[in-house]
Amino acid sequence: MIRDFIQQLKKTAHLARLNLTEEEEELYSKQLEEILNYFQKLQELDTSNVEPMAHVLPLNNVWRDDVVKESMEQELILKNAPEVENNCFKVPKIVKNI
């Protein structure tokens, strides 16, 4: 069973471009297995008399009028950017051959 989790973890790490060591793969696979086992345990509960809900807490949307107002200065926004080009955030290219 743990081997299945390791294979799934390797695939997910590859898609997320994460380089995991064998120790990390082992650790995260065990944690993933524990999480999934816990969910399986939760599915054993009889919830037939429990009303479905979206949240466990009584949350309400906070609405406000859509009002145009001053935004932050561009210089201040770009101040902590790792790289800036032509007054814009410069980000690494992730799509090739276009």
Side-chain angles (χ1 to χ4, degrees), residues 86-97:
N86 298 326
N87 289 329
C88 297
F89 288 100
K90 183 175 181 181
V91 295
K93 185 176 182 178
I94 58 171
V95 178
K96 298 178 182 174
N97 301 328

Side-chain angles (χ1 to χ4, degrees), residues 12-24:
T12 305
H14 174 73
L15 293 173
R17 298 179 183 207
L18 296 173
N19 293 321
L20 301 177
T21 64
E22 284 188 30
E23 292 81 20
E24 290 172 326

